[in-house]
């Protein structure tokens, strides 16, 4: 069913809510859902290329870890979640885009105390049709600003507490650029919804090591493996905005951006101000790998 909203025509999606596939305008969750009241929820975003899921098992492994860290109940087996993802791809005829999945601690009367453990979790999934491969930004690069990282200290858990990241990205747009890199104790943590990387003057790929300070990006892990296989030297360590400004290249990784060059930080062009060869090559290699391994 097609609907018209303003100038944009969009397709009425089928979404998944707690066991049912529903038209998006008929799907709902309780006002007492703890995801809504307490951000007591975790999520994953998996990309879809050619109607197939990229890095699905890795996303599910991270979901399992996020659930365990917060003592959230499991919404079902990997096979069950895969079946829902695939059914949403089929029902929405999704060729390229992402699937968002959220698990919450379920609905219970508002109380800071967690509800009893037999409270069923809420499970919501929806698709977003988007161009992921042929993005103009891959040819022009992104411009970013730096902002202080004011998020909580367990960024390794993929919770839906995204208000600060959302504020930072909105501030970046307000200042005429694309995104923000967050800085804590003088060191870059990550982008608002992506991992941050640089290519140092000697060609080494420098990226912050995994800890509680950043999300353990699935794309980051895949890209580092591919970089290693391409004989690119990798150093997992923190770096400053000043070092990033002096770098040969900078780029981000995420499930929706894949590898995307960054060409300017706080008004300073990186390298010659154009997407660099390492980021461009890693983007190509990653997309090929993603297409080859998607399920
Ligand atoms: N964001 N860091 C943060 C803070 C993120 O939100 C994300 C992903 C990443 C990259 O992780 P991955 O490679 O697994 O996507 C790093 C998703 C795409 C989002 O919130 O839409």
């Amino acid at each position: 069913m097609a609907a018209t909203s303003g100038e944009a025509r969009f397709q009425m999606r089928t979404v998944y809510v707690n066991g049912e596939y529903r038209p998006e305008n008929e799907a709902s969750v309780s006002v007492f859902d703890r995801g809504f009241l307490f951000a007591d929820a975790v999520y994953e975003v998996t990309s879809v290329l050619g109607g197939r899921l990229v890095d699905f098992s890795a996303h599910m492994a991270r979901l399992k870890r996020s659930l365990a860290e917060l003592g959230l109940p499991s919404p079902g087996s990997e096979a069950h979640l895969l079946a829902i993802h695939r059914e949403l791809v089929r029902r929405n005829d999704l060729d390229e885009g992402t699937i968002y999945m959220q698990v919450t601690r379920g609905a219970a009367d508002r109380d800071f105390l967690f509800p009893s453990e037999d409270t069923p979790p809420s499970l919501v999934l929806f698709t977003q049709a988007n161009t992921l491969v042929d993005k103009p930004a891959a040819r022009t690069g992104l411009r970013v600003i730096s902002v202080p990282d004011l998020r909580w200290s367990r960024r390794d858990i993929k919770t839906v507490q995204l208000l600060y990241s959302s504020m930072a990205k909105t501030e970046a747009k307000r200042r005429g650029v694309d995104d923000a890199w967050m800085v804590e104790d003088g060191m870059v943590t990550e982008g608002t919804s992506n991992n941050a990387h640089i290519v140092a003057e000697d060609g080494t790929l420098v990226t912050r090591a995994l800890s509680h300070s950043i999300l353990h990006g699935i794309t980051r892990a895949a890209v580092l493996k591919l970089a290693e296989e391409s004989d690119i030297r990798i150093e997992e360590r923190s770096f400053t905005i000043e070092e990033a400004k002096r770098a040969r290249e900078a780029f981000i990784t995420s499930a929706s951006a894949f590898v995307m060059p960054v060409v300017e930080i706080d008004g300073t062009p990186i390298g010659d101000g154009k997407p660099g060869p390492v980021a461009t090559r890693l983007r190509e290699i990653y997309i090929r790998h993603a297409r080859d391994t998607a399920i």
Side-chain angles (χ1 to χ4, degrees), residues 43 45 59 62 151 158 162 190-195 215-220 253-256:
Y43 76 107
V45 175
H59 283 285
R62 183 173 63 191
R151 298 173 300 164
K158 200 164 170 59
L162 297 173
E190 55 188 337
T192 57
S193 61
N194 44 69
N195 289 116
L215 186 74
H216 301 187
I218 302 303
T219 321
R220 174 192 180 279
T253 56
S254 80
S256 48

Side-chain angles (χ1 to χ4, degrees), residues 29-52:
V29 291
S30 165
V31 294
F32 297 108
D33 193 279
R34 289 185 57 91
F36 177 56
L37 296 178
F38 290 99
D40 189 356
V42 298
Y43 76 107
E44 283 295 330
V45 175
T46 303
S47 58
V48 173
L49 281 183
R52 292 186 302 143

Side-chain angles (χ1 to χ4, degrees), residues 47-50 52-55 96 132-134 219 222-223 226-227 229-230 257-259 277-295:
S47 58
V48 173
L49 281 183
R52 292 186 302 143
L53 300 154
V54 176
D55 280 336
E96 195 166 316
L132 302 181
V133 174
D134 192 20
T219 321
V223 167
L226 294 167
E229 288 166 11
S230 306
F258 298 154
V259 177
V278 174
T280 303
R281 184 155 148 252
L282 286 175
R283 180 175 173 84
E284 283 167 16
I285 296 173
Y286 177 76
I287 290 172
R288 197 177 319 132
H289 158 86
R291 283 199 195 284
D292 288 349
T293 57
I295 60 168

Side-chain angles (χ1 to χ4, degrees), residues 4 44 50 93 95 101 110 150 179 208 223 237 247 288:
T4 306
E44 283 295 330
D93 200 15
D95 178 58
M101 172 174 63
R110 184 174 183 275
L150 301 180
D179 204 351
R208 192 174 173 121
V223 167
R237 63 163 175 84
R288 197 177 319 132

